[in-house]
Amino acid sequence: MSHITLIRHGQANTQARDEASYDRLSDLGHQQAAWLGDHLRASGSHHPRVYCGTLTRHIETAASMGFANPVQDARLNEMEYFTLAEAMRDQHGLPIPEEREGFVDHLPKVFAAWAAGDIAEPYESWSQFETRTRQALEEIAAGEGPALVVTSGGLISMALRQAMGLDTAGMARIALAVMNTSMHRLFPIGGHWSPVLFNAVPHLEAPDRHFAQTHL
């Protein structure tokens, strides 16, 4: 098994309240990604393989990092959170938050209902999301050399859930914590994934870049 570094995309359209509108980087998102690419090159990081989902924000993040032709795999795409949130609103009367603070309570409720099968006819089942995450990362891990994977916070939290045996509430806390362009490394130890890096943003640690440590 080769080790994998998962990277969350740069800041997207923070004003969006639907999937299509959210799926593009903000100017800050492009800058975050460029700084990360500079950091990886300056530190001599060796990643002969680069992957990303097929979402615009994934592809734009990889490009701004300096990777123009990553391998694109739709299994690395984010869950459709806004679609699930609309279903929770329509089926269970759960309002969709208007600000970040509201998502701290909202996201765990969505995850719990989705995992329990309490959302009728979701666009994708919780089990399908689990399976595609596992299969995509297992296939990447079977390749030669370390890999970078540009994806989204929900998929990163699912990967860590699988690696650490987290319950759904624990996975939700991970998802809420993941910062834009943060790095998360999974390393094979004893035939199993172990996280050896979580939510690292060394490219944003300088005082004049603290403003760029974003979650949304």
Side-chain angles (χ1 to χ4, degrees), residues 16 20 22 27-28 32 34 67 81 91-92 123 161 163 172-173 177 193 198 201 207 210 214:
Y22 182 70
D27 290 343
L28 178 58
Q32 291 166 329
F67 302 111
Y81 187 81
Q91 297 175 27
H92 300 285
Y123 77 97
R161 165 189 165 90
R173 290 193 292 273
W193 289 122
F198 172 72
V201 287
H210 286 179
T214 60

Side-chain angles (χ1 to χ4, degrees), residues 68-99:
N69 296 296
V71 176
Q72 297 180 27
D73 187 337
R75 294 176 299 176
L76 299 170
N77 287 352
E78 179 66 298
M79 58 183 183
E80 294 186 11
Y81 187 81
F82 288 115
T83 302
L84 294 169
E86 290 169 356
M88 285 293 290
R89 178 197 62 200
D90 297 342
Q91 297 175 27
H92 300 285
L94 182 67
I96 300 175
E98 294 296 326
E99 69 293 318

Side-chain angles (χ1 to χ4, degrees), residues 155-198:
L155 189 136
I156 291 169
S157 67
M158 176 59 81
L160 291 172
R161 165 189 165 90
Q162 294 171 352
M164 299 299 293
L166 299 174
D167 61 14
T168 306
M171 176 182 161
R173 290 193 292 273
I174 291 289
L176 288 166
V178 175
M179 288 189 284
N180 295 115
T181 62
S182 56
M183 296 184 288
H184 313 255
R185 184 164 298 134
L186 297 174
F187 199 87
I189 299 176
H192 301 282
W193 289 122
S194 291
V196 296
L197 189 70
F198 172 72

Side-chain angles (χ1 to χ4, degrees), residues 23-212:
D23 193 27
R24 65 177 185 273
L25 292 192
S26 67
D27 290 343
L28 178 58
H30 283 287
Q31 181 64 77
Q32 291 166 329
W35 280 332
L36 176 55
D38 290 343
H39 168 79
L40 292 174
R41 286 183 289 274
S43 60
S45 297
H46 177 62
H47 296 93
R49 300 180 296 135
V50 181
Y51 299 80
C52 71
T54 61
L55 297 175
T56 299
R57 59 189 183 272
H58 298 161
I59 297 166
E60 289 183 342
T61 297
S64 288
M65 288 173 64
F67 302 111
N69 296 296
V71 176
Q72 297 180 27
D73 187 337
R75 294 176 299 176
L76 299 170
N77 287 352
E78 179 66 298
M79 58 183 183
E80 294 186 11
Y81 187 81
F82 288 115
T83 302
L84 294 169
E86 290 169 356
M88 285 293 290
R89 178 197 62 200
D90 297 342
Q91 297 175 27
H92 300 285
L94 182 67
I96 300 175
E98 294 296 326
E99 69 293 318
R100 179 184 183 276
E101 290 70 21
F103 284 100
V104 173
D105 290 326
H106 187 267
L107 186 144
K109 292 176 182 177
V110 172
F111 275 18
W114 189 25
D118 291 337
I119 299 178
E121 299 183 355
Y123 77 97
E124 174 183 41
S125 71
W126 176 269
S127 177
Q128 288 170 328
F129 184 43
E130 283 186 306
T131 298
R132 68 173 167 92
T133 299
R134 180 183 298 108
Q135 289 179 343
L137 296 183
E138 284 178 349
E139 289 180 21
I140 292 170
E144 293 290 330
L148 285 179
V149 176
V150 179
T151 181
S152 291
L155 189 136
I156 291 169
S157 67
M158 176 59 81
L160 291 172
R161 165 189 165 90
Q162 294 171 352
M164 299 299 293
L166 299 174
D167 61 14
T168 306
M171 176 182 161
R173 290 193 292 273
I174 291 289
L176 288 166
V178 175
M179 288 189 284
N180 295 115
T181 62
S182 56
M183 296 184 288
H184 313 255
R185 184 164 298 134
L186 297 174
F187 199 87
I189 299 176
H192 301 282
W193 289 122
S194 291
V196 296
L197 189 70
F198 172 72
N199 222 19
V201 287
H203 56 299
L204 304 178
E205 294 291 0
D208 62 347
R209 295 184 184 177
H210 286 179
F211 74 95

